[in-house]
């Protein structure tokens, strides 16, 4: 969770502010350590088997492990008790887990006064207890409380801390999450964000001393550090890296530490991921579900462009994923054998937009560097920005050097898994100014597409399961829902492969269904395609005539479930419609089985075909700037440019559907399409990756299933001027997550009853700046709205910008009279937000960058 800067923290604003005593090594002799470290970036899900099982393996196995949990960072005992419950679920005996009495403060959810524990850290009984452990875990919260609880007032190690070091040297594993990760290095980052670190900690002549009252008036937080516990002696560690966009502050912290800058990497651990340190082998392994940012500052230089602000150049950024390893002594990387290099074999070729805000496709750092840059042959350089509401900030420029490379494979079904090495990053001071664009856009083109009506919908007994793409094989809730709707494990399921150019995705989905209990003989990949598939001896383009096969149509009528794999949605529609646009016999058979109770499902492009108007190309910036196009250019059109529409199959008739919504930031193109071609009394639906929208036709209800969310766009009250395209006021945005439901005719949203309202009970009270790109926290729309607006008492509105060169759009998200947020923990202690009826205004702007 976010923490406010408190006066006890030490804030560093100049290079000279870093004092030698503060950065002295916590322990001089670390060569004989037999133990290991599990350093998690925060937000670790209870279901994250890899992290839990690695921790227990290093602790001696679940039968032999003895774990001590240190609760000091938190204000309650809840997280410690939850971690204990999780360990029991993973097979540890409850009697072998102890919550250790280590704290410098009282906990709010107990009857005892735990502040007295501060006096017990030199107690011999506690030291003996610790020396009998095989593992210690630090929960998250405030890292300064951990250090203060384990160090004496004179700065010396307490007997409890000495005991932890003793078992660590002898072979115990030390682990921690969030604040429990920050304490692991000598230099412990205690506060700040990327913009604040850059503005006030790199050659800055602005405020040298920042107190709490001054901080609360600013939109950014300067870097602050303190002496950590030093279990990891080979670089600075930061956490919540990608979610809170902390790469800038890590770069500043590492640059300001001369020892770490020259000798070591700096490490930024993502949420739901861990870096596992093997001291004997001098290696770090990435474990979990996300990634690890690695900075090489050894050749970084300070650049001065202005009298007040300076920047940094020649930083090397790498981003690793689970299974990758680092030799921290040699500063080298190791990748699994099944990962293939992207250099010279780039998959993508499109002109990626600069990363400027929540409308940027792949707007999180690792995804942006993967898709838009390293695995994109069209891109030699790319850039992003970070600035305050006055436009004072920085340009972040990425360049490919000779040693830049990417490594790719599939993971968890057919999710892309990227590793990135040695991207050059320069951070240069810039001032960005925005002015309203009052000229009518001459480049905006209205859509000429005119969808025809589809059959009436009253008699449909079947259901739809529409997945937003990147569906993980491990996503049991989506798979089980589809199987249950198809009739359980006796279901008869047909897979339509037409969207893809290979059978990999169809074969993978079949294997997944078998894994979840469907009989292999009840699953068939249907011979539906208008093109040949790679890697087969048969010419599948001959299947074109199968769309009117009576035999195949009869077979389809016997199915209880039909699944459309991802790829290119236009290939699905052209494989099922005759050249004159009429439905083929097989498509008529699909309608027949659907009306009589079968479930139709699909992912990615298999989701796009579900609505009557099919969004087949374009991105948010392209749709808002240029409108629509009548031509389609496969990959290029899928990744950017004006929107391209075709007639879908019309199984879902209650609004428009879009997919890959969070990762490809498609809110703008859904709004533009819904305004021109949608029914404004219906909602538009944007489905996140690894998430499904389940449509119950008889109950007229939608339910969210999976791991992400669905964004609802309501244009019923929108105000717009057709003379000025893409100038909108009062769009209503809602974001719902698993367990939430919405009525597709009344538009009534029903929130999971486990969630509590945030209205007048906001957790945060902070002034926040605009969302500007890769260095802005909460880059995904739902997280941005949740943390910075809906659960923030100080925020009445927040802004984001999307632009390319000198043109763009200002997005203003406002709390309306109907706005509300709903919050609960999910999968351990991850925040789960639902957001209802936030108002959005979109205004065209001119952009001046100096």
């Amino acid at each position: 969770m976010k923490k406010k800067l408190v006066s006890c923290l030490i804030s560093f604003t100049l290079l000279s502010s870093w004092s030698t005593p503060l950065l002295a090594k916590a322990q001089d002799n670390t060569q004989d350590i037999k133990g290991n470290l599990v350093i998690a970036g925060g937000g670790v899900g209870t279901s994250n088997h890899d992290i839990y099982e690695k921790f227990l393996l290093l602790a001696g196995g679940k039968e032999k492990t003895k774990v001590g949990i240190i609760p000091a960072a938190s204000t309650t005992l809840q997280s410690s008790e939850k971690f204990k419950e999780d360990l029991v679920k993973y097979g540890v005996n409850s009697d072998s887990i102890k919550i250790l009495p280590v704290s410098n403060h009282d906990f709010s959810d107990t009857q005892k006064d735990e502040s007295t524990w501060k006096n017990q850290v030199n107690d011999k009984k506690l030291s003996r207890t610790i020396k009998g452990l095989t593992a210690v875990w630090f929960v998250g919260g405030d890292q300064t409380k951990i250090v203060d609880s384990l160090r004496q007032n004179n700065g010396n190690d307490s007997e409890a801390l000495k005991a932890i070091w003793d078992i660590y040297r002898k072979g115990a594993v030390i682990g921690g999450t969030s604040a429990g990760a920050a304490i692991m290095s000598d230099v412990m980052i205690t506060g700040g964000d990327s913009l604040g670190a850059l503005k006030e900690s790199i050659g800055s002549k602005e405020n040298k001393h920042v107190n709490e009252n001054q901080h609360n008036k600013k939109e950014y937080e300067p870097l602050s550090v303190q002496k950590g516990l030093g279990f990891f002696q080979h670089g600075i560690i930061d956490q919540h890296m990608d979610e809170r966009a902390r790469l800038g502050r890590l770069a500043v912290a590492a640059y300001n530490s001369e020892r770490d800058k020259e000798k070591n990497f700096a490490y930024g651990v993502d949420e739901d991921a861990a870096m596992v340190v093997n001291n004997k082998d001098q290696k770090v392994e990435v474990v979990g579900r996300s990634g690890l940012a690695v900075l090489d500052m050894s050749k970084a230089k300070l650049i001065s462009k202005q009298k007040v602000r300076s920047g940094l150049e020649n930083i090397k950024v790498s981003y690793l994923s689970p299974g990758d390893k680092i030799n921290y002594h040699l500063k080298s990387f190791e990748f699994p054998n099944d990962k293939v290099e992207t250099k010279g074999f780039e998959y993508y070729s499109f002109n990626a937009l600069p990363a400027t805000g929540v409308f940027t496709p792949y707007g999180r750092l690792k995804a942006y560097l993967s898709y838009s840059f390293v695995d994109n042959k069209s891109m030699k350089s790319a850039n992003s920005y970070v600035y305050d509401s006055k436009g004072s900030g920085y340009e972040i420029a990425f360049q490919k050097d000779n040693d830049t490379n990417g490594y790719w494979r599939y993971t968890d079904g057919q999710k892309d898994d990227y590793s990135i090495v040695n991207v050059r990053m320069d951070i240069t001071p810039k001032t960005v100014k925005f002015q309203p664009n009052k000229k009518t856009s001459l480049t905006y083109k209205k859509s000429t597409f005119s969808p025809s009506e589809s059959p009436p919908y009253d008699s449909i007994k079947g259901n739809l399961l529409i997945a937003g793409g990147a569906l993980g094989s491990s996503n049991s809730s989506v798979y089980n829902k589809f199987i249950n709707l198809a009739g359980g494990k006796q279901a008869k399921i047909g897979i339509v492969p037409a969207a893809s150019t290979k059978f990999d995705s169809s074969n993978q989905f079949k294997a997944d269904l078998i894994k979840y209990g469907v009989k292999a003989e009840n699953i068939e990949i249907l011979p539906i395609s208008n093109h040949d598939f790679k890697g087969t001896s048969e010419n599948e383009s001959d299947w074109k005539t199968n769309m009117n096969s009576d035999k195949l149509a009869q077979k389809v009528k016997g199915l209880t479930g039909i699944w459309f794999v991802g790829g290119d949605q236009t290939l699905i529609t052209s494989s099922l419609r005759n050249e004159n646009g009429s439905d083929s016999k097989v498509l008529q058979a699909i309608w027949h089985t659907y009306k009589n109770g079968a479930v139709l499902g699909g992912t990615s492009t298999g989701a796009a075909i579900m609505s009557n108007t099919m969004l087949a190309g374009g991105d948010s910036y392209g749709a808002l700037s240029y409108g629509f196009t009548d031509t389609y250019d496969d990959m290029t059109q899928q990744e950017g440019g004006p929107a391209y529409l075709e007639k879908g199959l019309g199984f879902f008739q209650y609004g428009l559907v879009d997919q890959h919504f969070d990762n490809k930031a498609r809110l703008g193109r859904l709004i533009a399409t819904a305004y021109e071609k949608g029914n404004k009394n219906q909602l538009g639906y944007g489905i996140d990756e690894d998430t499904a929208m389940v449509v119950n036709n008889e109950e007229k209800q939608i339910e969210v299933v999976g791991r992400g969310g669905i964004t609802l766009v309501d244009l019923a009250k929108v105000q717009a001027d057709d003379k000025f395209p893409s100038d909108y006021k009062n769009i209503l945005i809602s974001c719902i997550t698993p367990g939430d439901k919405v009525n597709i005719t009344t538009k009534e949203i029903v929130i999971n009853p486990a969630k509590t309202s945030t209205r007048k009970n906001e957790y945060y009270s902070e002034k926040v700046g605009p969302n500007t790109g890769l260095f802005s926290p909460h880059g995904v729309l739902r997280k941005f709205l949740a943390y910075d607006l809906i659960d923030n008492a100080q925020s009445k509105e927040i802004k984001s910008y999307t632009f390319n060169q000198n043109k763009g759009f200002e997005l203003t998200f406002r709390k309306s009279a109907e706005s509300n947020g709903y919050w609960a923990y999910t999968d351990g202690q991850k925040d789960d937000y639902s957001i209802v009826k936030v108002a959005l205004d979109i205004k065209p702007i001119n952009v001046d960058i100096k």
Side-chain angles (χ1 to χ4, degrees), residues 257-291:
S257 172
E258 290 298 322
R259 176 172 65 86
D260 287 298
K261 170 188 167 184
E262 299 296 334
K263 184 178 178 182
N264 300 310
F265 286 145
Y267 302 87
V269 194
D270 286 351
E271 294 185 357
D272 221 8
M275 55 181 284
V276 177
V277 181
N278 185 314
N279 286 297
K280 180 181 177 182
D281 293 342
Q282 296 185 321
K283 288 186 178 181
V284 169
E285 179 183 5
V286 186
V287 175
R289 289 182 179 143
S290 41

Side-chain angles (χ1 to χ4, degrees), residues 112 121 155 166 191 267-268 273 316 349 390 457 470 627 668 681 725 806 822:
K112 297 180 181 179
V121 290
D166 182 62
Y267 302 87
K316 284 297 182 75
S349 181
K390 295 181 179 180
Y457 215 51
N681 292 318
N806 63 344
Y822 299 86

Side-chain angles (χ1 to χ4, degrees), residues 96-117:
S96 298
I97 309 167
K98 298 183 183 299
I99 297 176
L100 301 175
V102 177
S103 176
N104 67 349
H105 61 280
D106 189 24
F107 292 100
S108 62
D109 57 346
T110 68
Q111 298 297 317
K112 297 180 181 179
D113 181 5
E114 289 84 7
S115 63
T116 60
W117 287 358

Side-chain angles (χ1 to χ4, degrees), residues 756-795:
T756 57
S757 171
T758 63
R759 190 165 188 172
K760 296 184 179 179
N761 190 35
E762 292 86 356
Y763 182 84
Y764 301 99
S765 183
E766 301 177 353
K767 188 174 182 180
V768 296
N771 186 287
T772 59
L774 301 179
F775 276 17
S776 289
H778 318 305
V780 174
L781 177 68
R782 177 163 49 91
K783 299 291 187 69
F784 174 54
L785 295 181
Y787 291 109
D788 286 358
L789 179 66
I790 207 72
D791 202 15
N792 187 347
Q794 280 199 43
S795 285

Side-chain angles (χ1 to χ4, degrees), residues 198 202-204 302-312 394 427-429:
L198 289 166
I202 286 290
S204 172
L302 188 71
I303 54 174
S304 182
K305 296 289 185 180
Q306 297 180 2
K307 292 181 180 180
V308 175
R309 288 182 288 125
S310 299
L312 290 171
Y394 297 83
I427 304 172
T428 308

